[in-house]
């Protein structure tokens, strides 16, 4: 399996575009926009142990992602078998990208776009050649601004909010190591969509 994966990486022809940014940065909405703008891209389906949000299983929700919702046992079994090219724990839940859904399209020369948190980005950066992998950071400003957006999306307990804040600090520190930063100021979403779309088009030659 390892040899197979290495061989795929060696012959990789496609481009991997990773989108990162703190919770509430608008990342989900922006990725949903990219999904519509670039229907020829591959958007890998992540596995997660978190519970689906309302309406999430039926379609791609406002989170911009389609997930496969699994139990912790199923997730860990798949991880032990080497089924994920990267996986991480976030907010008490596990998230991972299946190796095949990422490597196979890249080997065929397709553009793959994945939205994920920073531990996953680090793992992918260690595995994918730098010239095949672009990281875009969505910057939505201060924690106070973000907190407002997170709470607009639905109620959240103080404990969960505190966890998100700690994560915000961590994710924000990643900004300096991303190749591209897209600012998403409050109330300027349409403009951000346009700038992000232009950047992604230039990265993918789509
Ligand atoms: P949410 O639960 O809000 O959908 O996602 C929580 C966080 O997990 C987000 O930062 C999202 O980008 C990240 N995430 C989603 N899928 C994956 C994945 O496959 N791998 C990793 N490492 N993070 C993911």
């Amino acid at each position: 399996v390892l040899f197979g994966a290495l061989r795929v990486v060696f012959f990789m022809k496609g481009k991997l575009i990773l989108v990162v940014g703190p919770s509430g940065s608008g990342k989900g909405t922006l990725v949903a926009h990219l999904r519509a703008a670039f229907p020829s891209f591959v958007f890998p389906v992540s596995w997660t142990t978190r519970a689906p949000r309302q309406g999430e299983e039926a379609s791609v929700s406002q989170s911009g992602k389609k997930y496969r919702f699994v139990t912790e046992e199923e997730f860990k079994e798949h991880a032990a078998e080497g089924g994920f090219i990267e996986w991480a724990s976030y907010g008490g839940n596990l998230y991972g990208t299946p190796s095949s859904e990422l490597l196979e399209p890249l080997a065929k020369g397709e553009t793959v776009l994945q939205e994920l948190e920073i531990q996953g980005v680090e793992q992918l950066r260690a595995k994918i050649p730098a010239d095949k992998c672009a990281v875009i950071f969505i910057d939505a400003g201060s924690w106070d601004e973000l907190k407002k957006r997170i709470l607009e999306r639905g109620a959240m307990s103080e404990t969960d909010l505190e966890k998100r804040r700690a994560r915000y600090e961590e994710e924000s520190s990643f900004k300096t190591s991303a190749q591209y930063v897209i600012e998403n100021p409050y109330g300027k979403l349409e403009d951000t969509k346009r700038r992000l779309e232009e950047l992604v088009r230039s990265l993918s030659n789509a």
Side-chain angles (χ1 to χ4, degrees):
V1 174
L2 183 62
F3 180 69
L6 287 175
R7 207 175 39 175
V8 171
V9 171
F10 188 71
F11 289 114
M12 195 175 285
K13 290 183 297 199
K15 183 92 182 201
L16 178 62
I17 300 175
L18 303 177
V19 181
V20 293
S23 167
S25 62
K27 191 173 51 163
T29 311
L30 291 166
V31 170
H33 172 71
L34 294 176
R35 241 177 216 284
F38 301 101
S40 65
F41 287 8
V42 172
F43 295 84
V45 177
S46 297
W47 288 30
T48 184
T49 61
R50 89 153 157 73
R53 298 189 184 115
Q54 214 179 358
E56 201 171 30
E57 263 172 317
S59 63
V60 179
S61 66
Q62 81 271 31
S63 76
K65 284 198 76 145
K66 249 188 211 149
Y67 284 111
R68 174 165 172 181
F69 298 97
V70 296
T71 63
E72 195 159 318
E73 198 182 349
E74 287 172 300
F75 192 102
K76 288 186 168 159
E77 204 173 290
H78 198 64
E81 288 163 355
F84 296 117
I85 186 157
E86 64 76 27
W87 67 271
S89 167
Y90 182 99
N93 298 303
L94 302 173
Y95 296 83
T97 308
S99 306
S100 57
E101 288 201 33
L102 193 127
L103 294 175
E104 282 167 19
L106 286 179
K108 281 193 262 172
E110 294 181 81
T111 300
V112 177
L113 196 142
Q114 178 67 315
E115 181 234 302
L116 76 179
E117 53 70 66
I118 58 176
Q119 301 168 73
V121 176
E122 299 290 12
Q123 293 169 47
L124 289 176
R125 270 186 166 172
K127 288 175 183 159
I128 310 288
D131 63 323
K132 303 287 183 205
C133 179
V135 182
I136 305 174
F137 182 89
I138 307 294
D139 183 10
S142 71
W143 167 246
D144 283 346
E145 197 60 68
L146 272 174
K147 187 172 152 187
K148 226 166 50 192
R149 293 198 203 184
I150 291 169
L151 293 175
E152 264 170 22
R153 211 162 52 178
M156 193 181 274
S157 73
E158 278 300 319
T159 331
D160 284 346
L161 206 55
E162 178 48 30
K163 277 191 206 156
R164 292 272 169 160
R165 194 196 57 76
R167 273 293 177 150
Y168 165 78
E169 303 293 343
E170 247 179 84
E171 302 257 334
S172 294
S173 68
F174 193 80
K175 184 176 162 183
T176 47
S177 53
Q179 286 129 302
Y180 305 95
V181 176
I182 290 282
E183 286 182 16
N184 184 24
Y186 195 65
K188 291 272 187 287
L189 187 62
E190 292 310 311
D191 178 57
T192 308
K193 282 182 188 169
R194 194 181 46 71
R195 280 183 289 114
L196 178 63
E197 189 181 324
E198 267 169 31
L199 171 64
V200 167
R201 183 165 286 116
S202 73
L203 292 172
S204 68
N205 303 320

